[in-house]
Amino acid sequence: MKNTITLILLLCCTIHLHAQQVARFTVKAGAYPYANLPVSCAFDTLVDRENVEMVEIKGKERIVTPFQIEPGKIWFIMTGNTQPGETRLFELQGRKFPAKVIIDLIWSFDTTGALTISEMGKARLQYHSIGVDSIYHRSGFIHPLWAPNGQVLTNIQPKDHLHHYGIWNPFTHTSFQGKEVDFWNMQKKEGRVDFVSFVSKHMGQVFGGFKALQQHMAGKVKAMDEILDVKVYYSGTDASRYTWDYTSTLNCATVEGITLLQYRYGGGFGLRATADWKADNTTLITDAGNTRNNTDSTRARWVKVTGNTAKGRSGMLILCAPDNYDAPQPLRVWDDKAQHGELMLNYSPTKMKWWNLHYGREYQQRYRVVVFDNDLSVAESEAAWQAFAHPPKVTCVLLHGKQ
């Protein structure tokens, strides 16, 4: 706790030391406002993490800023609010004294087959890597997803649909090696999606997460490999919301490839929401202005769901990347009369047309989720999508110690 308090104070204070400069980053905002936005750019320079720090330059002030380096890329947080068209300046500089301890803000812990990502001690989401060899038990899904207030917003294996698993993405109607295969409805015993191994796990000041290898099995034959990349970002000083990314990359396992046939649901991003969300206490809206009872089979750049919980009103905003297959992708959404008013929604890439995947190629689907307490306005939702779809331009200039 003492270390956490010290870190918060460091992030909130300003310093006036002009240490050795390594690189300068200029960020040019777009046409929409941003709040606590993570940004990244290519960065191949080798630096010692303990001997450098990121600062934002505002006049004579140099404000310590969370940053994180992964192979070939650097991340940092544009803390606070960024106005449309605003330019912000950051520098990576040498520390006056090397850091004895680098304290991560986002942690990923894997225990008994469930990897939990937490921010400053608050659990955000959990990924399951161990399943049971039976019809309705599987791995490779996210549950719980927690609201900032700690309320669980997902549901698994409800009695009406035992094959529903929180947040998951199997395709339903496919053609593989001359046979139709259903990876969604596990009771058919045709196909399933399972965790294989973690490719990597991340902890840091900007994001925590993992990359997991999942396999899509058609009986005993592997049809597709999938890399699921999940990143949960540092939320800054706003305790009422946080952001995370869900990226799925598919690769055919056999030379025949696979055809994802047209069907009303499957693949993409599936959500079975908490049973607490019913027709009388939940609202749904898309960027097109559609609501729960007229959203099914419409296309949406974003969809927002808000509902009552025991700890107050919370929800999630799901953003669909513009480079996803057949974007803006169509939605499968239960209306308020289905299944006792409970909610299932699915960004379904093949709802309108089939998708042929070829051997030797990668196929990526990207989604961003903003999880919040209270509510988000339509303007805030649109700004979040714009920041995701059209991130600010980051320009990097290496300084190599120049003053």
Side-chain angles (χ1 to χ4, degrees):
M1 179 60 72
K2 182 179 179 181
N3 287 338
T4 299
I5 294 173
T6 301
L7 178 61
I8 293 173
L9 291 174
L10 284 173
L11 292 176
C12 294
C13 72
T14 62
I15 62 175
H16 299 275
L17 299 174
H18 291 271
Q20 185 182 55
Q21 298 160 307
V22 179
R24 179 176 295 129
F25 304 88
T26 304
V27 185
K28 176 69 173 178
Y32 288 78
Y34 313 125
N36 298 312
L37 183 69
V39 294
S40 66
C41 70
F43 189 75
D44 292 320
T45 301
L46 295 177
V47 295
D48 185 346
R49 179 67 182 85
E50 295 183 353
N51 292 312
V52 295
E53 62 187 354
M54 180 75 76
V55 296
E56 181 173 9
I57 301 173
K58 290 188 175 182
K60 295 182 178 180
E61 294 182 328
R62 302 173 79 83
I63 305 168
V64 177
T65 300
F67 82 102
Q68 190 167 337
I69 294 175
E70 63 175 343
K73 185 178 290 188
I74 189 169
W75 293 79
F76 53 97
I77 298 287
M78 292 172 57
T79 54
N81 296 316
T82 302
Q83 299 305 314
E86 181 181 355
T87 298
R88 297 176 66 170
L89 183 63
F90 299 82
E91 281 189 2
L92 189 65
Q93 65 178 24
R95 295 178 184 270
K96 186 175 181 180
F97 302 104
K100 294 182 179 179
V101 179
I102 301 295
I103 301 176
D104 295 327
L105 301 172
I106 313 292
W107 291 71
S108 300
F109 283 117
D110 183 17
T111 55
T112 63
L115 186 146
T116 303
I117 304 176
S118 299
E119 178 185 0
M120 303 292 283
K122 292 186 176 180
R124 297 310 195 194
L125 62 82
Q126 187 173 85
Y127 172 81
H128 292 260
S129 61
I130 292 182
V132 179
D133 188 17
S134 65
I135 295 176
Y136 287 113
H137 288 79
R138 54 159 291 177
S139 58
F141 62 93
I142 291 173
H143 172 80
L145 176 73
W146 286 277
N149 64 18
Q151 187 68 34
V152 174
L153 300 183
T154 51
N155 189 14
I156 63 170
Q157 292 197 293
K159 292 181 179 180
D160 56 2
H161 287 72
L162 291 173
H163 55 288
H164 283 194
Y165 279 87
I167 293 171
W168 80 125
N169 66 346
F171 282 88
T172 307
H173 190 40
T174 75
S175 177
F176 176 67
Q177 294 186 339
K179 297 180 181 179
E180 290 189 4
V181 180
D182 186 340
F183 296 94
W184 179 293
N185 294 289
M186 298 164 62
Q187 69 276 14
K188 292 183 179 180
K189 299 183 180 181
E190 294 178 0
R192 58 187 294 125
V193 182
D194 289 313
F195 168 85
V196 178
S197 63
F198 285 110
V199 177
S200 59
K201 302 170 188 174
H202 311 288
M203 297 192 294
Q205 293 188 352
V206 175
F207 66 86
F210 62 88
K211 291 180 182 177
L213 174 61
Q214 301 183 161
Q215 59 186 12
H216 298 236
M217 299 295 297
K220 295 183 179 181
V221 180
K222 183 168 62 173
M224 293 183 288
D225 286 312
E226 176 188 13
I227 297 295
L228 178 62
D229 185 354
V230 172
K231 288 183 172 70
V232 177
Y233 298 103
Y234 174 57
S235 60
T237 57
D238 189 347
S240 68
R241 66 187 68 172
Y242 68 92
T243 299
W244 63 284
D245 284 348
Y246 183 99
T247 302
S248 165
T249 303
L250 295 171
N251 184 263
C252 295
T254 67
V255 294
E256 302 97 330
I258 187 171
T259 300
L260 310 177
L261 300 170
Q262 181 181 355
Y263 198 70
R264 65 181 183 272
Y265 63 85
F269 184 99
L271 166 69
R272 181 62 189 253
T274 172
D276 291 338
W277 284 1
K278 299 290 179 59
D280 60 353
N281 67 3
T282 305
T283 60
L284 182 150
I285 189 170
T286 72
D287 62 282
N290 295 318
T291 57
R292 183 168 178 179
N293 287 334
N294 65 354
T295 292
D296 187 50
S297 296
T298 67
R299 296 179 180 272
R301 291 183 289 114
W302 55 260
V303 55
K304 179 173 69 76
V305 184
T306 310
N308 293 343
T309 74
K311 296 183 178 180
R313 199 158 177 82
S314 296
M316 64 184 81
L317 170 70
I318 307 168
L319 313 172
C320 178
D323 53 357
N324 285 353
Y325 181 75
D326 202 26
Q329 290 180 335
L331 286 163
R332 167 63 172 154
V333 178
W334 285 352
D335 62 32
D336 60 13
K337 295 180 176 59
Q339 303 301 326
H340 312 291
E342 294 189 24
L343 178 66
M344 191 281 289
L345 71 81
N346 176 211
Y347 263 116
S348 180
T350 56
K351 190 177 181 71
M352 302 300 187
K353 62 181 183 179
W354 56 265
W355 188 8
N356 198 23
L357 308 189
H358 300 278
Y359 180 76
R361 300 181 187 176
E362 291 185 339
Y363 300 87
Q364 188 176 89
Q365 301 286 283
R366 299 187 300 121
Y367 305 90
R368 174 167 289 179
V369 185
V370 182
V371 189
F372 55 86
D373 289 335
N374 303 314
D375 204 352
L376 296 179
S377 67
V378 169
E380 289 176 309
S381 300
E382 179 64 20
W385 186 85
Q386 292 290 341
F388 177 50
H390 310 291
K393 181 180 179 180
V394 182
T395 302
C396 173
V397 177
L398 296 179
L399 302 174
H400 297 298
K402 297 178 181 179
Q403 297 292 328

